[in-house]
Amino acid sequence: MNAPAVLGFANAQYHDYVINRPEYKAEYGHWQTFVLPAEFRVNAIHASLLRTGKVLIIAGSGNDQRSFDAGSFKSVLWDPARNTYKLVPTPADMFCGGHTALPDGRLLVAGGTQRYEALDGAVKKAAGTMRVRNENPDAARTFPKGTVFTAPNGREYVSTAEVTVPAAVKTGGGDRTVVKASEQHVFVEAVAQGTGYVDNSPAQYAIKGLSGAEARNLYGMADRMTLEKQDFQGIRAAFEFNPDTELYERVTDMAYARWYPTLTGLGDGRVVTVSGLDDTGQILSGNDNEIYDPADKNWSKAPDRYFPTYPSIFLTASGKLFYSGSNAGYGPADKGREPGLWDLKDNSFQQVPGLRDPALTETSSSVLLPPAQAQKVMVLGGGGVGESPLSTARTDIADLSAAKPVFAPGPDLPAGGTRYLNSVILPDDTVFTTGGSSDYRGKHKSDLLKAQVYHPDTNTFTTAAEPTVGRDYHSEALLLPDGRVVVLGSNPLFADKADTEPGTFEQRIEIYTPPYLFHGERPQLTDAPAAARLGTTVTVKSPRPDGVVTAKLVRPSSVTHATDVEQRSVALDVGARSDGGVALTLPGNPNLLPPGWYMLFVTDGSGTPSVARWIKVTP
């Protein structure tokens, strides 16, 4: 009876009517869009869920040169449960750094931005990499930012960062003493503008202010000084964010500066850190990987292996690391793109063949499919290297439990070729995917207002409600403890189809409520232990223990650039049910269930999850 009146509405009104019907929500879910108060709006580059249930949104300078020049670096702590916000003092530009949760619930944040890129034609001062050498075996030497290096022709170049050069290495003795100079690099630029400072010949540079033996032992070497394009440059700084004090705490710097690195937690609680652009704008060569130990907050060398920037590297049940081939941003098309299993013990690398469209893995999404025990990793979408307009609808799945893993085809993405897709594991053992664009950074107004759910059990996608906000570069999505999904960010190049109007950073936040939360009463967890050891059995409380069908521990997300290597859902064995209690047994393998804080969900027979309880998993 209402149909004639409904059909008389404008299209937008009718659409709003349809998507808000209970039947529609129960099948496709529902989106809500909201805007933070002005003082808390930031360019969301990174988002991490903390054990307090709050979301740390890191902007740093937010891909805004003016904010960088002003030293304005921002982080916001958002409490989705109470919808409250708090600005967090941000001590360095963490824009495009890396991050991961530590076993005690702190968040390790490493790397960020030392300098913004300067494109061809925009470079006014000749610049280049200065290799600072030390031939003195008795002492290291630190040179502050602003140190002047003088060329043989008298031209002067100034360092853009502090640099410490270790003491030279002395071997042998007596007549057979050999001293090998140590070396550390730093970026320098001319003291003035103009082509007169361009020098394409290798040369040795004197360090201003040194004389005598110091001047002979300490000097710079540079291959050339140019006005060519300069890439972003990374920083060495590392911090732990403390969820109790809600402050960043400085820890030991990395040995190498990093911009666009990946941090992956290991089964022993340490973190391996790979790739990134260094403090001269060059991609790290692979002999500079590092491991962070939260016990002493120091870094040590990791095995050598080259990867393009922001590589998707997952910890597997064997303890090996799986590189899916997904990456973001920087690195040659013909190096470090092959997926494979990396063994840190002997530095071996077993290639995993079969990935289709192997040239279209940049800006793709990768996810360790639920449950983690299946040891399957899915690669979704992606595009060509750099500013390529190409994208793919391909999804492929690698079964890492096989003796010789290979990729097998999955279903194509329903929206077609997609870059920057965000993928989120849900507590019903499905994967929610949303957003992205078909072209580089949403060019030609190519954002895809589509979302879908992947079902590992049937290897199929089903349609989800459509978002209303486009999301491409610099967007992220993560699961909340109440079972909803929050989606943030987006940094399109242009705002119109003709690519004539500059784009603006998307600061609206969306929350997606999956269909399972519209299926009636959800199961409850009224009590659970605050901590549990690997391999042990714990008892949780529920008013209807017989209704608890599955239980899983979901690791909180820490996501940026469509890269989230930490999220995983680990199934627990559901055992005896007593009056108000359910016995749950944890796996004993720390490589399957790395130590740290997890969201404990239980679900009923229809897949409806409880609100999560936080539990700390210990060795």
Side-chain angles (χ1 to χ4, degrees):
M1 293 179 60
N2 291 330
V6 169
L7 293 173
F9 289 170
N11 288 340
Q13 292 174 303
Y14 180 65
H15 178 260
D16 189 62
Y17 161 77
V18 169
I19 65 174
N20 283 288
R21 294 178 63 194
E23 299 90 343
Y24 183 93
K25 294 179 182 180
E27 185 171 357
Y28 303 108
H30 185 67
W31 289 92
Q32 293 173 286
T33 304
F34 64 96
V35 180
L36 276 63
E39 63 268 33
F40 300 108
R41 294 176 202 160
V42 298
N43 294 348
I45 308 294
H46 312 264
S48 297
L49 179 66
L50 305 176
R51 62 169 175 77
T52 57
K54 298 179 181 180
V55 178
L56 180 64
I57 305 169
I58 303 175
S61 57
N63 202 19
D64 184 344
Q65 177 84 54
R66 293 168 299 178
S67 295
F68 178 81
D69 293 341
S72 177
F73 311 138
K74 293 183 178 180
S75 301
V76 168
L77 197 60
W78 170 46
D79 186 341
R82 298 176 178 83
N83 200 28
T84 58
Y85 319 91
K86 175 182 177 180
L87 286 170
V88 176
T90 307
D93 191 3
M94 299 171 184
F95 166 60
C96 290
H99 32 75
T100 191
L102 297 172
D104 65 356
R106 295 178 182 229
L107 184 76
L108 175 64
V109 184
T113 304
Q114 173 179 276
R115 182 186 177 98
Y116 268 60
E117 68 178 355
L119 302 178
D120 287 331
V123 179
K124 304 303 181 184
K125 293 182 178 180
T129 300
M130 184 69 64
R131 303 189 309 276
V132 188
R133 307 192 73 189
N134 183 4
E135 295 187 2
N136 180 3
D138 298 322
R141 185 64 182 269
T142 298
F143 295 99
K145 175 181 178 180
T147 296
V148 176
F149 294 82
T150 306
N153 58 16
R155 297 187 186 105
E156 295 183 338
Y157 303 82
V158 179
S159 64
T160 60
E162 179 184 281
V163 59
T164 297
V165 193
V169 177
K170 183 168 65 174
T171 58
D175 294 339
R176 297 186 179 181
T177 299
V178 176
V179 176
K180 182 179 180 181
S182 65
E183 186 174 287
Q184 185 58 270
H185 62 248
V186 67
F187 195 74
V188 299
E189 62 181 12
V191 295
Q193 297 182 7
T195 58
Y197 286 86
V198 172
D199 191 340
N200 289 308
S201 301
Q204 180 170 316
Y205 292 70
I207 300 176
K208 194 169 186 177
L210 302 186
S211 60
E214 274 197 319
R216 291 191 296 272
N217 287 330
L218 295 157
Y219 54 89
M221 300 289 294
D223 292 330
R224 59 192 193 125
M225 297 291 163
T226 77
L227 291 171
E228 296 173 0
K229 174 182 180 293
Q230 298 168 3
D231 277 319
F232 281 94
Q233 297 172 5
I235 59 176
R236 293 180 171 86
F239 300 85
E240 289 183 1
F241 185 82
N242 187 328
D244 295 318
T245 64
E246 299 183 341
L247 293 171
Y248 291 102
E249 299 171 0
R250 188 77 179 253
V251 297
T252 307
D253 286 357
M254 295 179 289
Y256 298 92
R258 299 181 190 275
W259 190 86
Y260 269 48
T262 291
L263 279 62
T264 301
L266 302 176
D268 60 7
R270 298 181 301 159
V271 177
V272 64
T273 305
V274 303
S275 196
L277 301 186
D278 68 11
D279 47 3
T280 69
Q282 302 299 308
I283 189 168
L284 291 165
S285 64
N287 62 359
D288 28 43
N289 301 322
E290 300 181 67
I291 291 180
Y292 179 75
D293 190 340
D296 61 11
K297 305 188 187 303
N298 284 317
W299 300 85
S300 60
K301 187 173 180 355
D304 297 346
R305 181 66 52 183
Y306 172 87
F307 298 99
T309 55
Y310 277 140
S312 289
I313 296 178
F314 298 87
L315 176 66
T316 71
S318 69
K320 297 178 183 179
L321 299 175
F322 177 62
Y323 168 49
S324 70
S326 293
N327 60 90
Y330 295 82
D334 58 352
K335 183 179 180 183
R337 302 276 173 171
E338 302 85 2
L341 285 161
W342 181 28
D343 192 336
L344 294 180
K345 293 179 180 178
D346 59 10
N347 200 23
S348 61
F349 190 83
Q350 177 189 355
Q351 290 191 13
V352 175
L355 182 66
R356 297 173 297 158
D357 291 343
L360 302 179
T361 57
E362 196 160 285
T363 65
S364 61
S365 177
S366 286
V367 62
L368 178 64
L369 292 175
Q373 283 89 337
Q375 290 293 280
K376 293 182 178 181
V377 172
M378 187 177 199
V379 176
L380 306 94
V385 173
E387 299 185 17
S388 167
L390 301 178
S391 61
T392 178
R394 173 264 292 121
T395 75
D396 279 350
I397 302 165
D399 183 353
L400 304 178
S401 66
K404 293 183 178 180
V406 297
F407 278 96
D412 282 354
L413 292 169
T418 307
R419 307 177 65 142
Y420 316 105
L421 186 72
N422 277 287
S423 302
V424 179
I425 298 171
L426 300 181
D428 65 350
D429 282 345
T430 62
V431 179
F432 174 70
T433 68
T434 183
S437 63
S438 60
D439 203 340
Y440 175 76
R441 286 188 65 178
K443 289 178 70 174
H444 309 301
K445 213 165 180 63
S446 61
D447 284 352
L448 300 167
L449 298 177
K450 299 290 183 181
Q452 47 278 318
V453 176
Y454 174 71
H455 301 261
D457 55 345
T458 60
N459 195 29
T460 59
F461 282 103
T462 56
T463 301
E466 296 178 349
T468 59
V469 179
R471 307 283 180 180
D472 50 69
Y473 183 55
H474 285 151
S475 65
E476 50 275 329
L478 54 80
L479 177 70
L480 296 174
D482 61 8
R484 298 181 300 165
V485 176
V486 60
V487 187
L488 312 94
S490 189
N491 197 177
L493 272 178
F494 301 102
D496 64 323
K497 193 168 185 178
D499 293 346
T500 59
E501 302 173 14
T504 57
F505 203 106
E506 179 57 66
Q507 294 185 330
R508 287 175 292 175
I509 293 177
E510 291 175 293
I511 290 184
Y512 175 71
T513 303
Y516 52 53
L517 294 183
F518 297 103
H519 292 170
E521 184 180 0
R522 62 195 301 182
Q524 297 181 49
L525 270 177
T526 55
D527 192 26
R533 292 177 57 198
L534 289 166
T536 62
T537 298
V538 298
T539 299
V540 300
K541 300 295 184 181
S542 177
R544 297 175 56 202
D546 290 341
V548 174
V549 175
T550 69
K552 58 266 304 178
L553 291 171
V554 179
R555 192 171 177 91
S557 284
S558 189
V559 57
T560 185
H561 293 73
T563 304
D564 185 356
V565 300
E566 288 299 286
Q567 67 166 338
R568 63 176 58 208
S569 177
V570 181
L572 305 183
D573 290 335
V574 179
R577 296 166 175 82
S578 57
D579 185 19
V582 181
L584 305 176
T585 301
L586 283 67
N589 182 355
N591 297 317
L592 176 66
L593 186 62
W597 286 83
Y598 288 79
M599 293 179 283
L600 171 62
F601 289 97
V602 297
T603 63
D604 61 19
S606 62
T608 302
S610 65
V611 174
R613 304 281 300 209
W614 285 97
I615 184 169
K616 184 179 182 181
V617 174
T618 61

